[in-house]
mmCIF file of all heavy atoms in Angstrom:
data_model
loop_
_atom_site.group_PDB
_atom_site.id
_atom_site.type_symbol
_atom_site.label_atom_id
_atom_site.label_comp_id
_atom_site.label_asym_id
_atom_site.label_seq_id
_atom_site.Cartn_x
_atom_site.Cartn_y
_atom_site.Cartn_z
ATOM 1 N N PHE E 1139 180.721 -19.768 -21.326
ATOM 2 C CA PHE E 1139 181.019 -21.039 -20.882
ATOM 3 C C PHE E 1139 180.497 -21.242 -19.497
ATOM 4 O O PHE E 1139 180.782 -20.401 -18.570
ATOM 5 C CB PHE E 1139 182.521 -21.334 -20.860
ATOM 6 C CG PHE E 1139 182.975 -22.749 -20.787
ATOM 7 C CD1 PHE E 1139 182.878 -23.621 -21.754
ATOM 8 C CD2 PHE E 1139 183.324 -23.232 -19.434
ATOM 9 C CE1 PHE E 1139 183.210 -24.939 -21.595
ATOM 10 C CE2 PHE E 1139 183.672 -24.543 -19.277
ATOM 11 C CZ PHE E 1139 183.581 -25.494 -20.403
ATOM 12 N N GLU E 1140 179.691 -22.364 -19.206
ATOM 13 C CA GLU E 1140 179.295 -22.556 -17.983
ATOM 14 C C GLU E 1140 178.468 -21.442 -17.148
ATOM 15 O O GLU E 1140 178.872 -20.956 -16.197
ATOM 16 C CB GLU E 1140 180.375 -22.986 -16.959
ATOM 17 C CG GLU E 1140 181.006 -24.386 -17.463
ATOM 18 C CD GLU E 1140 182.096 -24.844 -16.441
ATOM 19 O OE1 GLU E 1140 182.304 -24.097 -15.469
ATOM 20 O OE2 GLU E 1140 182.688 -25.877 -16.762
ATOM 21 N N GLN E 1141 177.441 -21.017 -17.982
ATOM 22 C CA GLN E 1141 176.594 -19.888 -17.400
ATOM 23 C C GLN E 1141 175.920 -20.482 -16.117
ATOM 24 O O GLN E 1141 175.270 -21.570 -16.176
ATOM 25 C CB GLN E 1141 175.542 -19.424 -18.356
ATOM 26 C CG GLN E 1141 176.257 -18.678 -19.553
ATOM 27 C CD GLN E 1141 176.515 -19.471 -20.692
ATOM 28 O OE1 GLN E 1141 176.589 -20.847 -20.528
ATOM 29 N NE2 GLN E 1141 176.731 -18.960 -21.893
ATOM 30 N N HIS E 1142 175.946 -19.749 -15.037
ATOM 31 C CA HIS E 1142 175.327 -20.225 -13.778
ATOM 32 C C HIS E 1142 174.166 -19.195 -13.350
ATOM 33 O O HIS E 1142 173.251 -18.885 -14.217
ATOM 34 C CB HIS E 1142 176.315 -20.386 -12.690
ATOM 35 C CG HIS E 1142 177.120 -21.632 -12.909
ATOM 36 N ND1 HIS E 1142 178.406 -21.853 -12.241
ATOM 37 C CD2 HIS E 1142 177.036 -22.679 -13.715
ATOM 38 C CE1 HIS E 1142 178.925 -23.027 -12.622
ATOM 39 N NE2 HIS E 1142 178.130 -23.419 -13.579
ATOM 40 N N GLY E 1143 174.341 -18.514 -12.251
ATOM 41 C CA GLY E 1143 173.236 -17.617 -11.782
ATOM 42 C C GLY E 1143 173.334 -16.334 -12.561
ATOM 43 O O GLY E 1143 174.289 -15.866 -13.071
ATOM 44 N N ALA E 1144 172.174 -15.671 -12.649
ATOM 45 C CA ALA E 1144 172.031 -14.393 -13.373
ATOM 46 C C ALA E 1144 171.045 -13.457 -12.689
ATOM 47 O O ALA E 1144 170.087 -14.005 -11.926
ATOM 48 C CB ALA E 1144 171.688 -14.538 -14.886
ATOM 49 N N ALA E 1145 171.047 -12.136 -12.827
ATOM 50 C CA ALA E 1145 170.142 -11.267 -12.204
ATOM 51 C C ALA E 1145 169.938 -9.965 -13.029
ATOM 52 O O ALA E 1145 170.983 -9.386 -13.392
ATOM 53 C CB ALA E 1145 170.601 -10.883 -10.796
ATOM 54 N N TRP E 1146 168.704 -9.554 -13.112
ATOM 55 C CA TRP E 1146 168.463 -8.310 -13.756
ATOM 56 C C TRP E 1146 168.479 -7.131 -12.789
ATOM 57 O O TRP E 1146 168.070 -7.250 -11.632
ATOM 58 C CB TRP E 1146 166.989 -8.350 -14.399
ATOM 59 C CG TRP E 1146 166.755 -9.402 -15.514
ATOM 60 C CD1 TRP E 1146 166.418 -10.734 -15.345
ATOM 61 C CD2 TRP E 1146 166.899 -9.110 -16.884
ATOM 62 N NE1 TRP E 1146 166.254 -11.293 -16.527
ATOM 63 C CE2 TRP E 1146 166.567 -10.297 -17.529
ATOM 64 C CE3 TRP E 1146 167.137 -8.109 -17.649
ATOM 65 C CZ2 TRP E 1146 166.551 -10.457 -18.896
ATOM 66 C CZ3 TRP E 1146 167.096 -8.162 -18.981
ATOM 67 C CH2 TRP E 1146 166.821 -9.366 -19.660
ATOM 68 N N ALA E 1147 168.710 -5.983 -13.371
ATOM 69 C CA ALA E 1147 168.798 -4.666 -12.512
ATOM 70 C C ALA E 1147 169.037 -3.524 -13.355
ATOM 71 O O ALA E 1147 169.750 -3.697 -14.430
ATOM 72 C CB ALA E 1147 169.775 -4.703 -11.290
ATOM 73 N N ASP E 1148 168.466 -2.419 -13.088
ATOM 74 C CA ASP E 1148 168.803 -1.174 -13.798
ATOM 75 C C ASP E 1148 169.948 -0.443 -13.060
ATOM 76 O O ASP E 1148 169.775 0.381 -12.361
ATOM 77 C CB ASP E 1148 167.541 -0.182 -13.770
ATOM 78 C CG ASP E 1148 167.761 1.113 -14.521
ATOM 79 O OD1 ASP E 1148 168.825 1.240 -15.160
ATOM 80 O OD2 ASP E 1148 166.933 2.027 -14.289
ATOM 81 N N PHE E 1149 171.143 -0.961 -13.475
ATOM 82 C CA PHE E 1149 172.427 -0.566 -12.652
ATOM 83 C C PHE E 1149 172.648 0.967 -12.986
ATOM 84 O O PHE E 1149 173.332 1.584 -12.159
ATOM 85 C CB PHE E 1149 173.634 -1.483 -13.078
ATOM 86 C CG PHE E 1149 174.281 -1.043 -14.184
ATOM 87 C CD1 PHE E 1149 175.488 -0.336 -14.201
ATOM 88 C CD2 PHE E 1149 173.861 -1.323 -15.572
ATOM 89 C CE1 PHE E 1149 176.308 0.094 -15.207
ATOM 90 C CE2 PHE E 1149 174.538 -0.905 -16.682
ATOM 91 C CZ PHE E 1149 175.796 -0.114 -16.499
ATOM 92 N N ASP E 1150 172.421 1.404 -14.177
ATOM 93 C CA ASP E 1150 172.763 2.731 -14.480
ATOM 94 C C ASP E 1150 171.587 3.850 -14.500
ATOM 95 O O ASP E 1150 171.741 4.972 -14.896
ATOM 96 C CB ASP E 1150 173.298 2.722 -15.803
ATOM 97 C CG ASP E 1150 172.473 2.126 -16.976
ATOM 98 O OD1 ASP E 1150 171.307 1.731 -16.551
ATOM 99 O OD2 ASP E 1150 172.876 1.907 -17.981
ATOM 100 N N ASN E 1151 170.521 3.342 -13.719
ATOM 101 C CA ASN E 1151 169.395 4.335 -13.587
ATOM 102 C C ASN E 1151 168.914 4.960 -14.887
ATOM 103 O O ASN E 1151 168.449 6.115 -14.877
ATOM 104 C CB ASN E 1151 169.740 5.312 -12.558
ATOM 105 C CG ASN E 1151 170.075 4.818 -11.168
ATOM 106 O OD1 ASN E 1151 169.628 3.601 -10.829
ATOM 107 N ND2 ASN E 1151 170.785 5.461 -10.325
ATOM 108 N N ASP E 1152 168.953 4.260 -16.001
ATOM 109 C CA ASP E 1152 168.378 4.772 -17.251
ATOM 110 C C ASP E 1152 166.925 4.383 -17.596
ATOM 111 O O ASP E 1152 166.580 4.619 -18.733
ATOM 112 C CB ASP E 1152 169.374 4.561 -18.403
ATOM 113 C CG ASP E 1152 169.417 3.076 -18.732
ATOM 114 O OD1 ASP E 1152 168.816 2.232 -17.950
ATOM 115 O OD2 ASP E 1152 170.016 2.682 -19.769
ATOM 116 N N GLY E 1153 166.379 3.651 -16.700
ATOM 117 C CA GLY E 1153 164.872 3.244 -16.873
ATOM 118 C C GLY E 1153 164.689 1.905 -17.515
ATOM 119 O O GLY E 1153 163.525 1.507 -17.705
ATOM 120 N N ASP E 1154 165.748 1.228 -17.895
ATOM 121 C CA ASP E 1154 165.629 -0.184 -18.485
ATOM 122 C C ASP E 1154 166.518 -1.116 -17.595
ATOM 123 O O ASP E 1154 167.503 -0.698 -16.964
ATOM 124 C CB ASP E 1154 165.851 -0.240 -19.997
ATOM 125 C CG ASP E 1154 167.269 0.209 -20.389
ATOM 126 O OD1 ASP E 1154 168.231 0.030 -19.516
ATOM 127 O OD2 ASP E 1154 167.420 0.648 -21.418
ATOM 128 N N GLN E 1155 166.198 -2.460 -17.697
ATOM 129 C CA GLN E 1155 166.869 -3.377 -16.947
ATOM 130 C C GLN E 1155 168.074 -4.032 -17.762
ATOM 131 O O GLN E 1155 167.858 -4.365 -18.869
ATOM 132 C CB GLN E 1155 165.943 -4.579 -16.464
ATOM 133 C CG GLN E 1155 164.857 -4.035 -15.376
ATOM 134 C CD GLN E 1155 164.108 -5.150 -14.650
ATOM 135 O OE1 GLN E 1155 164.036 -6.277 -15.331
ATOM 136 N NE2 GLN E 1155 163.540 -4.843 -13.615
ATOM 137 N N ASP E 1156 169.150 -4.204 -16.963
ATOM 138 C CA ASP E 1156 170.416 -4.753 -17.595
ATOM 139 C C ASP E 1156 170.492 -6.148 -16.922
ATOM 140 O O ASP E 1156 169.897 -6.541 -15.899
ATOM 141 C CB ASP E 1156 171.595 -3.950 -17.388
ATOM 142 C CG ASP E 1156 171.252 -2.440 -17.758
ATOM 143 O OD1 ASP E 1156 171.124 -2.164 -18.958
ATOM 144 O OD2 ASP E 1156 171.090 -1.534 -16.773
ATOM 145 N N LEU E 1157 171.519 -6.930 -17.322
ATOM 146 C CA LEU E 1157 171.549 -8.401 -16.819
ATOM 147 C C LEU E 1157 173.055 -8.713 -16.561
ATOM 148 O O LEU E 1157 173.877 -8.505 -17.425
ATOM 149 C CB LEU E 1157 170.980 -9.259 -17.812
ATOM 150 C CG LEU E 1157 171.125 -10.705 -17.511
ATOM 151 C CD1 LEU E 1157 170.017 -11.120 -16.467
ATOM 152 C CD2 LEU E 1157 170.713 -11.638 -18.791
ATOM 153 N N ILE E 1158 173.254 -9.238 -15.449
ATOM 154 C CA ILE E 1158 174.551 -9.985 -15.219
ATOM 155 C C ILE E 1158 174.484 -11.425 -15.148
ATOM 156 O O ILE E 1158 173.639 -11.871 -14.522
ATOM 157 C CB ILE E 1158 175.305 -9.349 -14.057
ATOM 158 C CG1 ILE E 1158 176.760 -9.912 -13.892
ATOM 159 C CG2 ILE E 1158 174.528 -9.666 -12.716
ATOM 160 C CD1 ILE E 1158 177.624 -9.185 -12.862
ATOM 161 N N GLN E 1159 175.442 -12.045 -15.992
ATOM 162 C CA GLN E 1159 175.397 -13.530 -16.014
ATOM 163 C C GLN E 1159 176.676 -14.011 -15.526
ATOM 164 O O GLN E 1159 177.779 -13.691 -16.009
ATOM 165 C CB GLN E 1159 175.134 -13.973 -17.481
ATOM 166 C CG GLN E 1159 175.291 -15.537 -17.747
ATOM 167 C CD GLN E 1159 174.324 -16.351 -17.039
ATOM 168 O OE1 GLN E 1159 173.203 -16.357 -17.479
ATOM 169 N NE2 GLN E 1159 174.813 -17.032 -16.088
ATOM 170 N N ILE E 1160 176.596 -14.820 -14.392
ATOM 171 C CA ILE E 1160 177.828 -15.286 -13.778
ATOM 172 C C ILE E 1160 178.270 -16.607 -14.501
ATOM 173 O O ILE E 1160 177.426 -17.580 -14.706
ATOM 174 C CB ILE E 1160 177.691 -15.556 -12.203
ATOM 175 C CG1 ILE E 1160 177.120 -14.210 -11.597
ATOM 176 C CG2 ILE E 1160 178.897 -15.954 -11.577
ATOM 177 C CD1 ILE E 1160 178.006 -13.023 -11.873
ATOM 178 N N VAL E 1161 179.544 -16.746 -14.715
ATOM 179 C CA VAL E 1161 180.181 -17.860 -15.422
ATOM 180 C C VAL E 1161 181.020 -18.737 -14.424
ATOM 181 O O VAL E 1161 181.815 -18.201 -13.641
ATOM 182 C CB VAL E 1161 180.895 -17.418 -16.589
ATOM 183 C CG1 VAL E 1161 181.623 -18.545 -17.401
ATOM 184 C CG2 VAL E 1161 180.019 -16.613 -17.619
ATOM 185 N N GLY E 1162 181.081 -20.033 -14.695
ATOM 186 C CA GLY E 1162 181.837 -20.926 -13.832
ATOM 187 C C GLY E 1162 183.261 -20.959 -14.245
ATOM 188 O O GLY E 1162 183.649 -20.262 -15.114
ATOM 189 N N GLY E 1163 184.081 -21.625 -13.483
ATOM 190 C CA GLY E 1163 185.454 -21.702 -13.635
ATOM 191 C C GLY E 1163 186.015 -22.762 -14.570
ATOM 192 O O GLY E 1163 187.246 -23.039 -14.480
ATOM 193 N N GLY E 1164 185.350 -23.260 -15.424
ATOM 194 C CA GLY E 1164 185.773 -24.237 -16.504
ATOM 195 C C GLY E 1164 186.337 -25.560 -15.728
ATOM 196 O O GLY E 1164 187.580 -25.686 -15.786
ATOM 197 N N LEU E 1165 185.469 -26.317 -15.176
ATOM 198 C CA LEU E 1165 185.806 -27.594 -14.460
ATOM 199 C C LEU E 1165 186.829 -27.156 -13.339
ATOM 200 O O LEU E 1165 187.779 -27.899 -13.072
ATOM 201 C CB LEU E 1165 186.583 -28.516 -15.539
ATOM 202 C CG LEU E 1165 185.639 -28.821 -16.622
ATOM 203 C CD1 LEU E 1165 186.357 -29.976 -17.397
ATOM 204 C CD2 LEU E 1165 184.226 -29.239 -16.302
ATOM 205 N N GLU E 1166 186.561 -26.060 -12.690
ATOM 206 C CA GLU E 1166 187.404 -25.612 -11.568
ATOM 207 C C GLU E 1166 188.794 -25.125 -11.776
ATOM 208 O O GLU E 1166 189.559 -24.665 -10.924
ATOM 209 C CB GLU E 1166 187.434 -26.682 -10.378
ATOM 210 C CG GLU E 1166 186.055 -27.209 -10.020
ATOM 211 C CD GLU E 1166 186.180 -28.264 -8.956
ATOM 212 O OE1 GLU E 1166 187.312 -28.725 -8.509
ATOM 213 O OE2 GLU E 1166 185.098 -28.616 -8.441
#
């Protein structure tokens, strides 16, 4: 619900990129 900013990164150092998707607060 309400996907906003996102960013790729290899957080676990396993050689591939993972993704965090930040979600809004549902009309605050």
Side-chain angles (χ1 to χ4, degrees):
F1139 191 80
E1140 294 181 2
Q1141 293 91 342
H1142 290 164
W1146 296 85
D1148 182 9
F1149 88 100
D1150 50 6
N1151 296 337
D1152 66 349
D1154 57 32
Q1155 292 192 343
D1156 313 287
L1157 178 76
I1158 187 167
Q1159 170 67 70
I1160 305 304
V1161 175
L1165 308 184
E1166 302 181 356

